[in-house]
Amino acid sequence: MQLYLNGFRGGDPDIKVAAPTWREFGSNAALPEKVDVLIAGTGPAGLCLAAQLAQFPEIKTMIVESSPRNIEKGKADGINTRTMEMFQAFGFAEDVKRESYWVNQTAFWMPDASNPAHIKRIGRVQDVSDDSSEMPHILINQARLHQLFLDVMHNAPSRLTPDYNWSVEAVDVDPDASDHPVTVTLKDTGVNWGETKVVRANYVVGCDGARSNVRKAIGGELHGDAAHQAWGVMDILANTDFPDVRQKCLIASQSEGNILILPREGGYLFRMYVELDKLNPDERVSTRNFTADHLIEAANRIMSPYSVDVKEVVWWSIYEIGHRLTDSFDDVPAGEDRNPRVFTAGDACHTHSPKAGQGMNVSMQDTFNLGWKLVHVLTNRADARLLRSYSAERWVEAKRLIDTDHEWARIMSAPAGQSKLDSSNEPRFVQAFKENLEFTGGLAVKYEPSALTALPTYQALATGQEIGRRFHSAPVVRLADAKQMQLGHVAEADARWRIYAFAGQDQKPLFDLAEWLENDPSSPVVKHTPRDKDCDAMIDVRAIFQQTFEQLSYENMPTLLKPHKGKFGLQDHEKIFCVDHKGLGDIFEMRGIDRTAGCMIVVRPDQYIANVLPLTAREDLSAFFASVLRDVRSGGV
Ligand code: FAD
């Protein structure tokens, strides 16, 4: 954490200096008439977007929520490793690690062949494979996550706070207007119930859940298989003689159904998903009148010979949801050539069964993708065409998630001997789970080649950092103070690009690159950084050397890597790294970096790898950035 760049300030370092206010927040405050971005809904998708935009007080952001306050319990609870990596960029991954349950092992239970009425453990799998991520897979109350995002928003320069008790009722886009073309009608759901208010926005993002009004307003429809499958979910405090209650468990009984056990934060609480009866095609789950007692009874039948003695049902729900997807995540009809003004994210445009534990994760990843793009457009760093890439990139991922979930279901329900996984001695349950680990960790996301993710021309220079996938962190040591750390943790949710320059055996190409990046008029650092900003305000360059820290001389390092910044021109000492010398691993080895030639890895603000280039590929680097960012020095695009 870097502090005091513009002068010493005591107190909580997470609370940033407030920017001049443009409006009051609170239940009695007047709503603004015009905003840059209006976000509908304070679920994970909406809050993840608001927390990013809140860092930019020059962007007028408003987030409305039809409920009166944050939720207190229930809903989703699984956070995969990829989302934890993203939380690191928001600054609260350590809080989550401290408070949450870590999923280390997943256990599998099936009917005991010698007594099929009883279940028996058939295997265990390490839940997060070694070095797939530096982060754990965790389980935590969704409401707590909301609060962490709310804190980030409130502590940001804009002090952004949700406007509760306002529901988005209608969204109209004037395609001919360029200034605040979206008219949003809000309905008061609080003390003045039913009163309406109109707010005009440049962009609207519907993060308003599966019944999204924003989606309906832009003509979006969720297609796919309706649920017809009800799941009972309960968070309980209970005693049990079931030995694996503090491990994630998938339990299949002979004839009573299936259960998923998810231990939760704090050591005592756990969640049970109980698969209930299949519903008839035209039947809604509400007609079945399920109660928490039904769930407890079903759980005891499925887990025989073990039993669960429930002391408190903290939260329970019947959760009926299918795999559904809209055709597009923005308001531009297929074939029309214009930039989008309205977007949907999260459950508003794709829903999933809780089995794979992805719903909340994918929702946040949607808006992590959209957030930096909105920042780029609204702060004039990039043309509004950039916003077209949101739907293009995220729709493909949502579709892939749904297809993978279907494939999993197909494997599980195939008759014995008819699945490709039946040839091994290991039950197909366990094999399919292992095969899917990268996917359930959120690590299989790969954006296809586009203006934002280059073709893999030079991929061989960094075989473990695949273009289109997230930058895979590894241990390093910071040269200036010999601190052991994760390289990926230098990335913050601040809409900046990063270039990680890995030095080859000969260090000269890296030194030459740094000199060019700092001074040459054709360098992207020069071209895309306004004159009144620090040199790393748009593109943050870091260097990594193959030597250990005592073999390098800090005093000889290029000035770009020791820049003077802020109002005092203080020197930044945190841009140069070397390999870990204390046994955690060699980043060059771990990530397949070419030791002879070195390379540059260009990483997008959402932590995905945009390009891998030789250290000498200056024209390629300039051309890549020129296709995304404006040339702010010459005034061109
Ligand atoms: P949501 O979390 O649904 O947030 C949408 C927000 O928008 C809500 O706060 C809502 O009040 C607000 N809103 C709705 N309409 C409007 C409007 N017109 N104007 C303004 N605000 C509006 N996932 C699991 O994996 N496991 C579970 O057990 C599980 N249980 C769930 C139980 C329930 C009752 C629900 C609703 C969802 C559950 N989910 C579960 C799904 C999971 O919570 C979602 O995938 C995740 O929260 C999606 O995040 P989101 O931000 O897209 O939408």
Side-chain angles (χ1 to χ4, degrees):
M1 189 176 223
Q2 289 185 294
L3 302 171
Y4 317 138
L5 177 62
N6 292 314
F8 179 82
R9 203 169 52 91
D12 183 344
D14 283 328
I15 302 177
K16 314 246 174 85
V17 178
T21 51
W22 63 280
R23 61 162 297 200
E24 298 298 320
F25 291 105
S27 51
N28 295 322
L31 296 189
E33 292 185 358
K34 285 184 178 179
V35 296
D36 289 312
V37 184
L38 187 145
I39 304 167
T42 59
L47 291 173
C48 180
L49 179 59
Q52 288 169 85
L53 298 181
Q55 310 305 323
F56 299 86
E58 64 271 42
I59 299 175
K60 291 181 176 155
T61 304
M62 176 182 195
I63 175 165
V64 299
E65 165 60 51
S66 51
S67 303
R69 63 189 71 83
N70 185 18
I71 56 169
E72 283 176 6
K73 49 194 174 183
K75 298 178 88 174
D77 58 4
I79 298 296
N80 63 31
T81 48
R82 171 68 201 120
T83 302
M84 285 296 289
E85 293 171 3
M86 184 188 77
F87 287 170
Q88 176 66 35
F90 280 98
F92 57 73
E94 290 303 319
D95 293 313
V96 175
K97 278 161 83 171
R98 186 175 69 85
E99 293 178 26
S100 57
Y101 171 83
W102 293 28
V103 187
N104 299 310
Q105 295 278 330
T106 294
F108 300 86
W109 290 71
M110 291 192 84
D112 184 348
S114 58
N115 179 6
H118 287 181
I119 55 168
K120 185 182 171 200
R121 186 192 306 116
I122 54 153
R124 282 194 181 120
V125 172
Q126 180 177 323
D127 193 86
V128 177
S129 353
D130 292 339
D131 194 34
S132 59
S133 170
E134 77 282 12
M135 289 294 176
H137 169 197
I138 65 100
L139 296 165
I140 196 169
N141 180 0
Q142 181 171 334
R144 176 65 184 132
L145 283 183
H146 287 191
Q147 191 55 50
L148 289 163
F149 274 123
L150 287 164
D151 291 345
V152 171
M153 284 160 55
H154 191 67
N155 293 336
S158 65
R159 300 289 190 265
L160 180 59
T161 308
D163 289 295
Y164 288 109
N165 276 327
W166 287 100
S167 163
V168 171
E169 294 296 297
V171 178
D172 294 295
V173 185
D174 177 352
D176 299 323
S178 57
D179 179 38
H180 298 85
V182 194
T183 303
V184 183
T185 307
L186 299 174
K187 186 180 85 179
D188 195 321
T189 55
V191 282
N192 298 314
W193 196 90
E195 277 186 18
T196 59
K197 166 97 191 158
V198 167
V199 177
R200 287 178 52 203
N202 278 320
Y203 297 101
V204 168
V205 189
C207 305
D208 47 346
R211 296 185 180 168
S212 169
N213 280 353
V214 176
R215 179 188 71 231
K216 290 174 199 152
I218 59 172
E221 270 181 52
L222 285 170
H223 306 289
D225 36 346
H228 308 319
Q229 175 64 62
W231 285 82
V233 50
M234 55 183 174
D235 292 341
I236 52 176
L237 292 164
N239 284 326
T240 176
D241 54 353
F242 179 67
D244 286 351
V245 69
R246 295 309 296 169
Q247 288 173 31
K248 177 177 166 185
C249 294
L250 280 80
I251 304 173
S253 72
Q254 173 81 347
S255 54
E256 300 292 346
N258 303 324
I259 281 186
L260 187 60
I261 293 184
L262 298 171
R264 285 278 299 273
E265 69 277 8
Y268 301 103
L269 186 72
F270 60 98
R271 170 170 288 195
M272 282 183 145
Y273 282 103
V274 183
E275 198 172 354
L276 299 169
D277 307 342
K278 275 254 181 274
L279 303 173
N280 297 320
D282 51 355
E283 189 184 19
R284 295 310 306 262
V285 74
S286 48
T287 59
R288 293 284 187 102
N289 294 324
F290 287 116
T291 64
D293 287 338
H294 283 115
L295 303 186
I296 295 167
E297 283 159 20
N300 275 299
R301 286 196 304 272
I302 294 167
M303 291 174 70
S304 175
Y306 305 103
S307 61
V308 183
D309 174 18
V310 178
K311 306 292 183 186
E312 183 184 336
V313 178
V314 176
W315 176 79
W316 74 278
S317 169
I318 301 294
Y319 185 54
E320 172 203 358
I321 197 137
H323 297 293
R324 304 207 290 160
L325 180 65
T326 53
D327 292 333
S328 162
F329 295 175
D330 64 32
D331 64 323
V332 183
E336 205 169 293
D337 182 25
R338 68 168 171 87
N339 297 325
R341 288 288 182 174
V342 182
F343 308 86
T344 51
D347 279 13
C349 44
H350 48 78
T351 60
H352 315 271
S353 97
K355 265 185 294 188
Q358 297 297 306
M360 178 161 64
N361 293 282
V362 189
S363 302
M364 289 183 276
Q365 294 295 341
D366 280 351
T367 51
F368 198 42
N369 180 297
L370 179 60
W372 68 268
K373 296 173 182 174
L374 282 170
V375 171
H376 273 52
V377 171
L378 287 163
T379 58
N380 216 21
R381 296 177 199 195
D383 185 83
R385 286 185 73 86
L386 176 63
L387 298 172
R388 300 182 185 201
S389 64
Y390 164 69
S391 181
E393 290 189 335
R394 294 306 299 171
W395 188 89
V396 173
E397 276 314 309
K399 176 80 170 60
R400 205 169 52 84
L401 179 57
I402 287 172
D403 289 347
T404 310
D405 235 19
H406 274 140
E407 171 68 5
W408 161 274
R410 212 178 46 76
I411 290 172
M412 288 307 131
S413 58
Q418 290 185 25
S419 159
K420 64 175 178 175
L421 300 182
D422 286 341
S423 48
S424 141
N425 289 335
E426 217 169 21
R428 63 163 90 139
F429 222 40
V430 180
Q431 286 182 75
F433 183 85
K434 279 186 186 167
E435 280 188 8
N436 268 325
L437 278 179
E438 190 186 39
F439 158 77
T440 46
L443 304 170
V445 174
K446 182 173 176 208
Y447 296 130
E448 293 306 315
S450 71
L452 300 176
T453 40
L455 287 165
T457 313
Y458 300 104
Q459 186 66 69
L461 294 174
T463 51
Q465 298 284 15
E466 200 180 338
I467 297 173
R469 290 187 180 236
R470 66 64 157 112
F471 179 76
H472 191 176
S473 184
V476 286
V477 164
R478 197 161 57 200
L479 181 59
D481 57 356
K483 183 184 178 188
Q484 279 186 297
M485 57 180 289
Q486 283 286 333
L487 182 59
H489 294 190
V490 303
E492 293 176 28
D494 56 6
R496 286 193 292 165
W497 291 76
R498 290 184 168 81
I499 298 175
Y500 297 100
F502 288 82
Q505 256 148 18
D506 176 8
Q507 294 173 4
K508 189 165 181 308
L510 188 142
F511 277 63
D512 291 346
L513 173 73
E515 213 276 320
W516 174 78
L517 281 170
E518 186 178 14
N519 300 309
D520 197 283
S522 63
S523 136
V525 171
V526 174
K527 268 168 54 181
H528 306 299
T529 309
R531 283 181 208 282
D532 60 342
K533 300 274 189 208
D534 289 330
C535 66
D536 61 358
M538 306 294 151
I539 303 171
D540 177 19
V541 183
R542 311 273 176 154
I544 307 96
F545 291 88
Q546 303 183 26
Q547 292 76 9
T548 56
F549 89 104
E550 70 281 357
Q551 296 166 330
L552 291 166
S553 60
Y554 187 59
E555 58 276 26
N556 294 333
M557 287 293 156
T559 48
L560 177 76
L561 301 174
K562 299 185 294 189
H564 290 264
K565 295 165 41 180
K567 72 175 186 187
F568 298 128
L570 294 181
Q571 189 172 348
D572 184 339
H573 297 283
E574 304 199 351
K575 299 208 182 272
I576 310 169
F577 303 87
C578 24
V579 291
D580 183 89
H581 61 285
K582 288 190 154 181
L584 290 184
D586 177 332
I587 187 169
F588 284 74
E589 205 64 44
M590 293 170 80
R591 302 292 169 255
I593 310 289
D594 187 316
R595 285 187 180 280
T596 309
C599 69
M600 286 185 261
I601 301 182
V602 181
V603 180
R604 305 170 9 158
D606 56 5
Q607 302 171 323
Y608 283 83
I609 298 172
N611 210 343
V612 174
L613 289 168
L615 291 169
T616 49
R618 296 175 191 176
E619 278 180 22
D620 289 342
L621 186 70
S622 290
F624 174 79
F625 276 108
S627 70
V628 183
L629 299 178
R630 287 186 197 279
D631 178 349
V632 292
R633 295 289 173 96
S634 73
V637 176

